[in-house]
Amino acid sequence: VPLTVFCSEVEMVTASALIRGGVPPYTITWNDNSTENDIEISDTGTYRVVIEDSNNNRDTAEIAITLSRLEIVGLETTQPSAAESTDGSITVDVAGGLTPLSYVLIAESGDTIATVKDGLFQDVGNGNYTIAVTDRNGCEVVSDTVTVSFSSSDTKMVESIWQITPNPVRETLIISSDIPIDGLTIYTISGQLIKSIISPGHKVDVSDLPQGIYFLQVTSGKEQSTQKLSKIE
């Protein structure tokens, strides 16, 4: 029996009996008791039509139709613990489709990052992603853009230990600190490492940074603090 699969958001399809030869008029009978040339199908199943002409010549045809209404109904993200970390996660919840399902995590560049069977992506870094879900019949649905982004609001700030001025900054950052600073790193808002300095001292030249918003992370011993930095021309 020929198999026809209708994917994604299809709610109803039409099956038609195409008649060639014989002597009209014809009698058409479907297995759902319809006698029309066309029938509307809203359920997966095998559909059979019997055609008889005026000379009692008869022919039968069958088609198996699968309606695969695959839909992403939920997306949850866990943000990374730091701008450079890859401990974020994305959980995808779908409805419809025929198992087994395959979930593919795709980077903004179009590269495939990971493929899973349960809809849970772990060890996800900062960035923009889409998720493609495919069912057993090859039906696919693709999510909108999902952003995984570390936010400074997720990190405990230690304002009493250090602070930077000016902010916004044009050329030089001044770091005021009660304790020695071991390292300073600057990331883009999407988590890309821009600058890393060991023992930066109290002045840091940022004149080479394009205008925009950045995350500035200061390390002192085992302590790490992160602050949003605005760079202006």
Side-chain angles (χ1 to χ4, degrees), residues 128-188:
N128 296 319
Y129 304 91
T130 53
I131 296 98
V133 186
T134 307
D135 78 351
R136 184 175 71 199
N137 286 320
C139 294
E140 181 182 70
V141 62
V142 179
S143 74
D144 294 331
T145 299
V146 181
T147 299
V148 176
S149 177
F150 166 75
S151 171
S152 59
S153 62
D154 298 330
T155 301
K156 182 180 179 181
M157 304 299 291
V158 190
E159 298 291 349
S160 61
I161 295 178
W162 68 277
Q163 55 182 270
I164 59 169
T165 55
N167 190 8
V169 62
R170 292 184 186 276
E171 295 183 353
T172 304
L173 282 174
I174 307 299
I175 304 176
S176 302
S177 175
D178 299 333
I179 59 176
I181 294 177
D182 299 325
L184 179 145
T185 49
I186 300 176
Y187 300 89
T188 66

Side-chain angles (χ1 to χ4, degrees), residues 9-98:
E9 299 177 356
V10 173
E11 295 293 337
M12 186 174 294
V13 297
T14 300
S16 300
L18 301 179
I19 304 172
R20 294 187 180 92
V23 179
Y26 306 101
T27 300
I28 301 173
T29 306
W30 293 87
N31 59 338
D32 65 352
N33 296 320
S34 173
T35 58
E36 301 295 326
N37 191 76
D38 302 329
I39 61 170
E40 292 185 336
I41 295 173
S42 58
D43 295 309
T44 293
T46 299
Y47 293 83
R48 182 175 62 257
V49 61
V50 178
I51 301 171
E52 188 171 332
D53 72 359
S54 59
N55 290 331
N56 297 321
N57 295 310
R58 178 179 295 187
D59 195 15
T60 302
E62 289 186 349
I63 185 171
I65 291 180
T66 296
L67 298 180
S68 185
R69 305 184 188 108
L70 188 60
E71 180 183 6
I72 294 176
V73 296
L75 284 168
E76 293 184 4
T77 62
T78 299
Q79 308 307 327
S81 59
E84 78 281 11
S85 297
T86 57
D87 56 357
S89 68
I90 302 174
T91 302
V92 188
D93 187 20
V94 302
L98 296 177

Side-chain angles (χ1 to χ4, degrees), residues 216-227:
L216 178 69
Q217 186 177 81
V218 171
T219 302
S220 180
K222 294 184 179 180
E223 296 288 339
Q224 281 189 340
S225 299
T226 304
Q227 181 173 323

